[in-house]
Amino acid sequence: MYFITHVGLIFFMYPTDIIESASRTHWVPIFIGMVFHLVFIWIYMKGLSYFPGKNIIDIYMEKGKGLSLIFLIPIIGYFFLANITTVRAYSEIINIVFLSETPLWATMIPFLFIATYIAAKGLNVIFHTAFIVACVFLPLFLFIFILSFQNVDWRYFFPLFDIDYSFISNRSYYKSFFSFAGVFLFLGFIQPYHTYDRKKVLLSAILLLPFFLFSVYVPILTFGQATSATFQFPFVTALDSVYISWLVFDRITMFFLISLLIFIMIFLSLLLWMVSSILVHFVPIVKHSYVLYFLSILIFIICVMLPDWKVVEKLFWWNTYFRFYVILVIPFSVLIFGVRSKRKVR
Amino acid sequence: MGEVSKKVKKRFKNYDDFFQQETYLYKEIVEIMGFNTLINIPKTKDILQEYTKSVHTPDMTLDDFLKTIGEVKEGNIDDAIQSIFEGKLIICSNKGQYVVVDPIPKELNRSIEPPSNENVLQGSQSSFIEDLETNIGLIRKEKTSEKLCVNSYSMGKRQNKKLALLYIEGNVNKDILSEMQNQIEKNIKKELQNQQDLSNILGFSPWLTMSKFHTSELPSEAVKMLLQGRVVLFIDRLPIAFILPSLIWDMFTIENEHNYPYPLMILIRVLRVLGLLTTLIVPGLYVALVAVNPGVLRIEMALSIAQSRQGVPYPALVEVLIMLLILELILEASVRLPKSIGPTITMVGGIILGQAIVDAKLVSNLLIIILAATTIANFTIVGVQNSLSIRLYKYLIVIFASIYGVFGLLAGMLLIIAYLSSLKTFGVSYLNVNLERDVIKR
């Protein structure tokens, strides 16, 4: 679950941002991002482990309604914006890559419809769906991922140690955290329904490393840094260059993209489910599913209203503030509450 | 003639298969009555006489004898009438007392035969029949265990339909079992004739497109399911075991595959999974590639498809739907037809119609191949009801694919997966992979 939602997020925006942010030795920003990511997951899970059987909403609610508002509203904002940008960005991608004649609103409908449908059925269904989807689509995905190395020229890997730290001051680098931040919060929501093994989560996070790494390096190794910086979706373009003589299909990119899109839909349904479950907590009179329908219609309207890609990018950037709030504040606050409540018990 | 027998006779005056005979027991006249369509009269009489000899003691009278064979009743004939309808025999003495006895029944069941809907390649050939007791007996024979429990219910307002619930104690999850039992007892007055009634009694929605029961007519299959901790239901006069909860993996597995070497078993199962995927994807893929995303195909392939579609006057979606409809009609017809005409219709439908429709430029060549593959793949799936559901789902995918191309194809898949994972039977998800770990040991 953790794995596939991430995979879905990695391959579009992440390479663009990283390639934009650093001109060489791309593995440094990737590793820094990764370490950052692991540390915060660990803190978050550590904090959550002080509250067995409770989700993050319960934890904040215990501390009073005002405090919980302060903590949860940014989360809602973050999820909401993430939802909008994801839906919009990915339907944009679909339109660019293969449905050039379909209007944008029409590609958004299946996205939101299916995500809402899954979310309305509850968390268990999201998990089961994710599991089966992984069984069906992951082999396809891995197959194509391996194929993407066809045109690789390993000499582009160098220089390895001429480290350039300018990425830290680059805006794009912070945008790239979208790929990290989106998912891990759900660990805080699933507690009463599911238990998870902390080691396994960390392990799957580490397993993601090659995907992060190669999503950036495959386009660079194929085209070189200067060329790949000009593409909007470098990895997709790199895939397009692959040619396999024994395959019926000319553009395997499509299947790759679509299997990623399927993962994204699951991610969306997870986001929707989380937002609506927070909202239901504040307004308990309304039924969960109505909140969901309302939300998805709202998102749909906003997505249609956005005029062009630049606005989406801007939204994406605004969301970065929320994102860092989410990455930094939530894990730490949970940890602090956890430690304090443990002391009280003593 | 006694008071009782007069009343009974009056009640049954419109039933010509009702018989009333006088016979001697202990030198006294008694009357026996029942339906001659349900009771084997000569044999029953013989047994009765033999029985009188076997329990004979010097000072035994008729009254004593009647007491030994059943509960002696007097006056009220409602019990007698009800029992006659159930196929029992009434022995009525001159004093107006009567006893209800189980007679030798007329042989109204077929014998145990090889299964007619589920072919078994190598394995136990016996299948369930219409008689409930025989079915339970078959299971007991297959699995001799003191833990195999049977609960019987009489369903309906007049309580005349028998329902049996089988489980293996210790294997089954107690919560699920008791929930099921409660549900049956709560609805015990509802009529029960078929699977729809049963799912109504168990409180399932009637609008499910995927059956919540896994049905089988093989005792070996039912026993395997019992051992996995599932519950088996039998309705009297239906030669099928209804197994609950049904899981997605049942679509791909048959018990007697365990008679093959392990790798072969796995390969066969993989084949079925592929069959499922083919059925779902291939027609949709055709529509997507022809109508929406021809660019995905290699150029030579795309051209040859376009060539074969030359002169076809309508869009790919309509083309596929027409051919699918015709195929469904052929399938349905071949189920309905007598066995002797079946092959003819296959020939006419499959070969002649297929060839002619291509020659007439109504559909493309490729489509015929695709539909044939789809239909064949469809029947690799285990279980008639499962393959029906899959047949339905493929239309959803075709329609999605016609709108959104390859993306719609996979989105439709996702939707189906989500639908299946939202199905729950007594708290067990349909997509549960490891029943033992997740449910039984819970």
Side-chain angles (χ1 to χ4, degrees):
Chain A
M1 176 74 202
Y2 189 78
F3 188 73
I4 48 174
T5 44
H6 263 296
V7 165
L9 288 175
I10 290 172
F11 281 89
F12 294 105
M13 312 297 280
Y14 189 71
T16 327
D17 291 331
I18 291 287
I19 293 173
E20 256 178 44
S21 65
S23 54
R24 52 182 189 274
T25 60
H26 299 89
W27 59 270
V28 183
I30 297 173
F31 271 107
I32 292 179
M34 198 72 202
V35 168
F36 208 64
H37 176 65
L38 284 178
V39 168
F40 279 97
I41 298 179
W42 187 80
I43 293 175
Y44 188 52
M45 286 196 294
K46 184 81 190 162
L48 284 173
S49 68
Y50 289 115
F51 304 96
K54 277 185 194 163
N55 66 19
I56 162 167
I57 306 175
D58 298 332
I59 296 172
Y60 287 131
M61 278 297 185
E62 266 178 18
K63 309 288 172 212
K65 204 144 192 168
L67 199 69
S68 68
L69 270 177
I70 295 172
F71 280 115
L72 291 177
I73 279 186
I75 301 188
I76 296 179
Y78 169 65
F79 284 157
F80 196 65
L81 276 179
N83 236 322
I84 292 170
T85 43
T86 322
V87 170
R88 173 71 188 210
Y90 283 85
S91 32
E92 198 95 37
I93 289 166
I94 298 178
N95 267 24
I96 293 169
V97 182
F98 44 85
L99 286 178
S100 45
E101 280 161 34
T102 320
L104 204 55
W105 59 265
T107 38
M108 287 178 205
I109 287 178
F111 255 108
L112 275 170
F113 171 69
I114 292 175
T116 316
Y117 176 80
I118 301 175
K121 299 272 180 186
L123 191 65
N124 270 323
V125 173
I126 300 180
F127 271 72
H128 271 123
T129 313
F131 178 74
I132 298 293
V133 162
C135 293
V136 179
F137 293 110
L138 261 189
L140 180 73
F141 162 77
L142 287 176
F143 171 67
I144 300 174
F145 182 68
I146 292 165
L147 287 183
S148 72
F149 286 88
Q150 197 193 30
N151 293 326
V152 162
D153 183 348
W154 292 102
R155 278 166 296 183
Y156 283 120
F157 217 90
F158 301 103
L160 263 184
F161 294 106
D162 183 10
I163 294 170
D164 167 20
Y165 287 105
S166 63
F167 64 86
I168 296 197
S169 58
N170 198 313
R171 228 181 188 209
S172 301
Y173 184 61
Y174 297 102
K175 276 203 278 182
S176 77
F177 275 82
F178 179 63
S179 308
F180 294 122
V183 189
F184 78 104
L185 274 180
F186 89 90
L187 293 172
F189 285 86
I190 57 175
Q191 270 288 5
Y193 308 97
H194 274 271
T195 49
Y196 55 88
D197 190 351
R198 269 196 282 167
K199 268 186 201 147
K200 272 186 195 156
V201 174
L202 279 180
L203 190 72
S204 62
I206 291 169
L207 268 182
L208 281 172
L209 180 68
F211 293 100
F212 273 112
L213 203 61
F214 284 111
S215 72
V216 176
Y217 268 101
V218 165
I220 292 179
L221 296 178
T222 315
F223 302 117
Q225 149 73 20
T227 322
S228 27
T230 61
F231 297 132
Q232 194 176 8
F233 305 113
F235 191 84
V236 176
T237 321
L239 254 187
D240 262 338
S241 71
V242 171
Y243 179 88
I244 291 127
S245 54
W246 45 264
L247 213 64
V248 200
F249 303 109
D250 205 20
R251 293 183 63 195
I252 49 166
T253 327
M254 188 141 180
F255 293 95
F256 184 76
L257 279 183
I258 291 168
S259 52
L260 292 186
L261 287 172
I262 300 290
F263 300 157
I264 286 294
M265 280 197 221
I266 290 172
F267 169 65
L268 278 181
S269 65
L270 196 63
L271 281 185
L272 278 173
W273 185 82
M274 290 194 283
V275 179
S276 60
S277 54
I278 297 178
L279 284 177
V280 166
H281 232 84
F282 286 124
V283 201
I285 359 158
V286 198
K287 262 175 89 178
H288 199 162
S289 50
Y290 293 143
V291 175
L292 265 174
Y293 301 143
F294 172 73
L295 266 179
S296 56
I297 290 170
L298 190 69
I299 291 172
F300 179 67
I301 292 170
I302 295 175
C303 285
V304 173
M305 302 244 287
L306 294 177
D308 57 10
W309 182 249
K310 279 195 185 119
V311 184
V312 180
E313 295 247 299
K314 209 181 267 173
L315 266 185
F316 214 73
W317 175 242
W318 290 345
N319 205 9
T320 312
Y321 299 114
F322 280 124
R323 189 173 311 139
F324 274 91
Y325 178 86
V326 165
I327 297 182
L328 295 171
V329 176
I330 302 295
F332 275 114
S333 63
V334 171
L335 184 70
I336 292 165
F337 287 143
V339 174
R340 268 174 56 188
S341 72
K342 200 180 172 191
R343 275 200 203 129
K344 253 183 221 165
V345 172
R346 273 184 194 165
Chain B
M1 203 190 280
E3 191 67 12
V4 174
S5 60
K6 267 181 203 156
K7 276 188 198 161
V8 173
K9 188 163 193 181
K10 204 175 151 202
R11 172 73 180 75
F12 282 96
K13 70 171 189 284
N14 284 336
Y15 299 81
D16 284 347
D17 55 347
F18 177 73
F19 75 94
Q20 218 167 7
Q21 280 183 5
E22 295 188 341
T23 182
Y24 283 91
L25 284 178
Y26 292 95
K27 293 169 188 156
E28 284 188 51
I29 294 183
V30 290
E31 266 183 303
I32 55 174
M33 39 196 155
F35 280 127
N36 58 19
T37 40
L38 297 176
I39 296 171
N40 188 336
I41 303 167
K43 271 199 179 160
T44 307
K45 272 184 178 167
D46 279 355
I47 289 282
L48 209 57
Q49 292 299 344
E50 243 165 64
Y51 191 62
T52 54
K53 275 171 208 153
S54 72
V55 295
H56 188 68
T57 46
D59 51 351
M60 195 153 190
T61 63
L62 177 66
D63 289 349
D64 295 334
F65 173 71
L66 290 183
K67 274 177 202 154
T68 64
I69 58 172
E71 194 189 342
V72 180
K73 290 172 185 164
E74 244 171 307
N76 186 6
I77 61 161
D78 288 350
D79 279 349
I81 289 166
Q82 177 70 28
S83 315
I84 288 172
F85 277 120
E86 282 168 9
K88 302 272 167 65
L89 183 80
I90 307 287
I91 304 175
C92 186
S93 76
N94 262 341
K95 296 168 197 157
Q97 296 166 319
Y98 68 87
V99 180
V100 180
V101 215
D102 277 325
I104 306 283
K106 269 241 165 91
E107 205 43 71
L108 293 176
N109 291 317
R110 61 189 168 115
S111 56
I112 298 171
E113 284 160 3
S116 53
N117 298 332
E118 294 167 63
N119 274 331
V120 180
L121 266 188
Q122 284 193 327
S124 154
Q125 289 286 338
S126 54
S127 74
F128 293 126
I129 61 167
E130 280 76 7
D131 185 46
L132 185 80
E133 275 89 30
T134 316
N135 290 348
I136 298 173
L138 277 170
I139 288 202
R140 279 220 185 276
K141 189 104 184 161
E142 193 92 18
K143 175 74 194 165
T144 42
S145 158
E146 75 253 41
K147 287 191 173 157
L148 176 64
C149 304
V150 179
N151 297 354
S152 291
Y153 302 91
S154 300
M155 308 298 292
K157 285 203 185 75
R158 307 202 52 169
Q159 307 212 327
N160 45 14
K161 194 73 176 179
K162 277 185 276 178
L163 173 74
L165 185 153
L166 280 74
Y167 58 91
I168 290 187
E169 210 181 356
N171 284 23
V172 76
N173 180 302
K174 288 205 178 81
D175 299 338
I176 295 176
L177 181 69
S178 62
E179 203 183 329
M180 220 180 267
Q181 287 164 335
N182 288 341
Q183 194 72 29
I184 293 174
E185 266 153 34
K186 206 170 76 191
N187 293 321
I188 204 149
K189 291 279 177 231
K190 283 191 183 169
E191 292 301 328
L192 173 68
Q193 291 298 332
N194 45 39
Q195 185 183 330
Q196 282 183 10
D197 296 340
L198 186 60
S199 75
N200 183 0
I201 283 167
L202 290 174
F204 301 149
S205 156
W207 292 104
L208 295 168
T209 50
M210 182 57 98
S211 166
K212 287 209 170 177
F213 301 96
H214 178 61
T215 53
S216 175
E217 45 179 1
L218 304 173
S220 55
E221 192 78 10
V223 166
K224 180 190 81 177
M225 301 287 175
L226 280 172
L227 287 172
Q228 283 175 355
R230 305 203 216 179
V231 175
V232 171
L233 289 162
F234 283 112
I235 302 176
D236 197 20
R237 313 317 296 167
L238 279 181
I240 326 169
F242 297 94
I243 298 158
L244 277 172
S246 163
L247 302 180
I248 192 167
W249 195 235
D250 299 338
M251 255 194 239
F252 310 118
T253 56
I254 303 177
E255 166 60 13
N256 76 320
E257 280 156 4
H258 289 285
N259 296 332
Y260 308 151
Y262 195 70
L264 299 187
M265 179 182 96
I266 290 181
L267 282 175
I268 287 178
R269 289 179 179 178
V270 168
L271 210 60
R272 292 204 191 102
V273 176
L274 287 180
L276 172 79
L277 290 178
T278 315
T279 321
L280 282 178
I281 291 175
V282 169
L285 193 66
Y286 174 79
V287 174
L289 292 182
V290 168
V292 190
N293 299 119
V296 185
L297 281 173
R298 181 148 303 179
I299 188 78
E300 301 92 331
M301 188 82 182
L303 283 177
S304 82
I305 291 177
Q307 209 169 26
S308 81
R309 281 204 52 175
Q310 225 169 26
V312 176
Y314 26 69
L317 175 68
V318 179
E319 188 189 1
V320 168
L321 286 183
I322 288 177
M323 270 326 276
L324 280 176
L325 183 70
I326 290 177
L327 265 178
E328 303 291 353
L329 290 176
I330 293 176
L331 282 180
E332 187 53 28
S334 57
V335 173
R336 214 93 5 252
L337 276 171
K339 280 213 170 76
S340 49
I341 320 180
T344 326
I345 216 68
T346 327
M347 182 106 125
V348 173
I351 302 169
I352 302 180
L353 194 65
Q355 187 57 40
I357 208 165
V358 171
D359 280 349
K361 296 263 157 84
L362 289 179
V363 299
S364 73
N365 273 322
L366 186 68
L367 182 66
I368 299 287
I369 301 171
I370 280 173
L371 289 186
T374 311
T375 315
I376 293 166
N378 193 190
F379 289 100
T380 54
I381 293 162
V382 178
V384 184
Q385 301 196 12
N386 288 336
S387 72
L388 277 178
S389 307
I390 300 300
R391 245 160 94 185
L392 178 68
Y393 294 152
K394 110 192 134 193
Y395 288 96
L396 177 88
I397 289 192
V398 166
I399 289 167
F400 257 75
S402 74
I403 305 174
Y404 295 110
V406 184
F407 169 60
L409 175 84
L410 297 199
M413 285 280 283
L414 179 64
L415 200 62
I416 289 168
I417 291 173
Y419 175 71
L420 292 183
S421 56
S422 72
L423 291 180
K424 272 188 170 179
T425 331
F426 296 108
V428 182
S429 167
Y430 183 67
L431 296 186
N432 204 319
V433 201
N434 197 335
L435 193 70
E436 220 160 296
R437 186 194 65 201
D438 293 344
V439 180
I440 311 303
K441 303 261 154 60
R442 197 164 56 191

